[in-house]
Amino acid sequence: MSKGFLLVISGPSGCGKGTVSKALLERNEDIVFSISATTRKPRAGEEDGVNYFFIDEDKFSTMVDEGKFLEHAFVHNNYYGTPKEFVMEQIENGEIVLLEIDVQGAMQVKKNYKNVVFVFLLPPTMDELKNRIIKRGTESEEDIERRFKNAFEELDFVGEYDYFVINDKVNDAVIDIENIIKAEKLRVKRHSNIKNQVIKQGGK
Amino acid sequence: MSKGFLLVISGPSGCGKGTVSKALLERNEDIVFSISATTRKPRAGEEDGVNYFFIDEDKFSTMVDEGKFLEHAFVHNNYYGTPKEFVMEQIENGEIVLLEIDVQGAMQVKKNYKNVVFVFLLPPTMDELKNRIIKRGTESEEDIERRFKNAFEELDFVGEYDYFVINDKVNDAVIDIENIIKAEKLRVKRHSNIKNQVIKQGGK
């Protein structure tokens, strides 16, 4: 029986982790997406249990106290967290669970859990990183500069990850991550009794 | 600048490591084959510096004393060893060097070197393992039984390796190893200054 693993796709804002994760999930129906819990109100079109688990602050606070999050954070006046139980169950069942998360969140996960594969998504150039931050179009010049400065500093965290993938073309980045998944499935450490499996296949 | 690595393909006799390694090299011209040194006489068709470096016992003994082997062994009255300098140079230059070797040799390499990716090749079933040992046709029943017993015991060493690959069809095993190589090329630990590489691409 082989265990699955948590696949953390992370990187600075503007690296395209949302786009890459979405494309990866579309092409690989067997990958399970880890749904976050949040205290923020649903936006138009967002569904509870699909995009997020929408919960109130009391519930969130109780879950924090009970250690029910893999990681959690307070961002723009709202709480976000990754429910632990779902992820752990899926991994025990051999599933690969995708968690798309910022660098701070990934570092929280790294501190507390093993059996995680950390992928750092890089922009092809710093110019392109800036373009991507600008293209969101929802922010002031000051916000853009702040985000870019943060992103630049977050690149230092690449050394904490297992793999790096350069997100120049989304499709190429997805193929790189698919290769990482294929290789990680062949890791000896996640399989118990490999010898017995061979012996059982048709007998000694 | 990224370092290469030593790719050790290993497993019990009958697992097909020779066939798989040959097919892998044919399909991937960029992989460098590590040529062993041996004191055994060349067989018909074998070339010095291609199949083996054929050297005498004095030379071999001197090389052992000078620590010039990654690993060495005495098998069927002949010495075999993996010259270290060539492998190390290639790895420094970013190359992937393939070393096809038995389990004992792999364990010697593991004890002494880092920056090695260990792949254990498994037979699909124990019956198939026995068939493959028999098919060599050059050995007595007693030799076959001994080899099979050894192979069975060597399966215990799979836990010492990074990856396992089941060699049912050679082509599938080669694809698995190619995926492992692609993923290992994206390992953060073998790249220095990933951030600087991104910054240099087109400037900040």
Side-chain angles (χ1 to χ4, degrees):
Chain A
M1 175 72 196
S2 75
K3 270 198 181 185
F5 55 87
L6 182 63
L7 175 71
V8 167
I9 296 186
S10 175
S13 64
C15 73
K17 54 187 179 292
T19 312
V20 168
S21 296
K22 194 161 167 277
L24 182 70
L25 288 168
E26 278 169 7
R27 285 174 43 155
N28 298 272
E29 290 184 356
D30 52 330
I31 298 177
V32 179
F33 181 64
S34 164
I35 302 164
S36 297
T38 183
T39 58
R40 126 166 125 57
K41 296 281 166 282
R43 291 178 190 147
E46 283 184 343
E47 277 181 65
D48 186 49
V50 175
N51 306 88
Y52 287 94
F53 295 112
F54 294 102
I55 61 180
D56 63 26
E57 288 200 16
D58 280 352
K59 177 86 193 279
F60 197 98
S61 174
T62 307
M63 285 181 72
V64 170
D65 291 344
E66 292 174 345
K68 290 196 169 167
F69 288 118
L70 278 179
E71 59 77 41
H72 65 279
F74 188 66
V75 183
H76 300 308
N77 284 321
N78 290 296
Y79 291 95
Y80 295 82
T82 304
K84 183 159 67 183
E85 193 178 343
F86 173 78
V87 171
M88 292 304 173
E89 275 176 10
Q90 296 291 324
I91 289 174
E92 277 301 316
N93 289 336
E95 302 292 344
I96 294 162
V97 182
L98 170 63
L99 177 59
E100 178 225 323
I101 196 170
D102 64 14
V103 173
Q104 279 66 35
M107 291 302 97
Q108 273 192 57
V109 174
K110 193 182 176 192
K111 213 163 61 182
N112 296 318
Y113 300 95
K114 290 178 185 178
N115 212 4
V116 185
V117 174
F118 290 94
V119 176
F120 195 93
L121 217 56
L122 290 159
T125 64
M126 294 310 290
D127 284 344
E128 179 57 22
L129 181 70
K130 196 158 194 175
N131 284 342
R132 289 180 191 173
I133 293 173
I134 292 170
K135 266 188 197 158
R136 300 185 169 191
T138 55
E139 289 163 285
S140 67
E141 190 138 339
E142 202 183 351
D143 280 339
I144 288 169
E145 277 307 320
R146 187 183 41 78
R147 260 189 197 276
F148 182 69
K149 191 170 160 286
N150 283 347
F152 188 76
E153 284 168 4
E154 281 177 347
L155 289 178
D156 287 328
F157 285 87
V158 64
E160 303 288 323
Y161 288 67
D162 299 309
Y163 299 97
F164 69 97
V165 167
I166 293 172
N167 181 23
D168 190 358
K169 290 178 183 160
V170 172
N171 196 46
D172 293 343
V174 169
I175 289 169
D176 279 348
I177 297 171
E178 286 171 346
N179 279 326
I180 291 167
I181 292 170
K182 283 177 198 162
E184 287 288 335
K185 282 181 175 176
L186 299 172
R187 281 255 169 210
V188 167
K189 67 177 177 183
R190 264 188 286 278
H191 290 256
S192 53
N193 288 321
I194 293 175
K195 182 175 178 175
N196 283 347
Q197 282 174 41
V198 173
I199 294 170
K200 275 184 202 158
Q201 303 293 323
K204 186 177 159 184
Chain B
M1 174 75 196
S2 76
K3 270 199 182 186
F5 55 87
L6 181 64
L7 175 70
V8 167
I9 297 187
S10 174
S13 63
C15 74
K17 54 187 177 293
T19 312
V20 168
S21 296
K22 194 162 168 276
L24 182 69
L25 287 168
E26 278 168 9
R27 285 174 44 153
N28 298 273
E29 291 184 355
D30 52 329
I31 299 177
V32 179
F33 181 63
S34 164
I35 302 166
S36 296
T38 182
T39 59
R40 124 164 128 57
K41 297 280 165 282
R43 292 179 192 146
E46 284 184 344
E47 278 181 63
D48 186 49
V50 177
N51 306 89
Y52 286 95
F53 295 111
F54 295 101
I55 60 179
D56 62 25
E57 286 200 17
D58 280 352
K59 177 84 192 279
F60 197 98
S61 174
T62 308
M63 286 180 74
V64 171
D65 290 346
E66 291 174 346
K68 290 195 169 168
F69 288 119
L70 277 179
E71 58 77 40
H72 65 279
F74 187 66
V75 184
H76 301 308
N77 284 320
N78 289 296
Y79 291 95
Y80 294 82
T82 305
K84 184 160 68 183
E85 194 178 342
F86 173 79
V87 172
M88 293 304 173
E89 275 176 12
Q90 297 291 323
I91 290 174
E92 278 301 317
N93 288 336
E95 302 292 343
I96 293 162
V97 182
L98 169 63
L99 177 59
E100 179 224 324
I101 197 170
D102 64 14
V103 173
Q104 280 67 36
M107 290 302 97
Q108 273 191 57
V109 174
K110 194 181 175 189
K111 213 162 63 181
N112 296 317
Y113 300 95
K114 291 178 182 175
N115 211 4
V116 186
V117 174
F118 290 94
V119 175
F120 195 92
L121 217 57
L122 289 160
T125 65
M126 294 311 289
D127 285 343
E128 179 57 22
L129 182 69
K130 196 158 196 175
N131 285 341
R132 289 179 191 174
I133 293 173
I134 292 169
K135 266 187 197 159
R136 300 185 170 192
T138 54
E139 289 162 287
S140 68
E141 189 138 337
E142 203 182 350
D143 279 341
I144 289 169
E145 276 308 319
R146 186 182 44 77
R147 260 190 196 276
F148 182 68
K149 192 170 159 284
N150 283 347
F152 188 77
E153 283 168 4
E154 282 177 346
L155 288 178
D156 286 329
F157 284 86
V158 63
E160 302 290 323
Y161 287 66
D162 299 309
Y163 298 98
F164 70 96
V165 167
I166 294 172
N167 180 23
D168 191 357
K169 291 179 183 156
V170 172
N171 196 47
D172 292 345
V174 170
I175 290 169
D176 279 349
I177 296 170
E178 286 171 347
N179 279 327
I180 290 168
I181 292 170
K182 284 177 197 163
E184 286 289 335
K185 283 181 175 174
L186 299 172
R187 281 256 170 212
V188 167
K189 66 176 178 185
R190 266 190 283 280
H191 291 256
S192 53
N193 288 322
I194 293 173
K195 182 176 178 175
N196 283 348
Q197 282 174 41
V198 173
I199 294 170
K200 277 182 201 157
Q201 303 292 323
K204 185 178 160 185

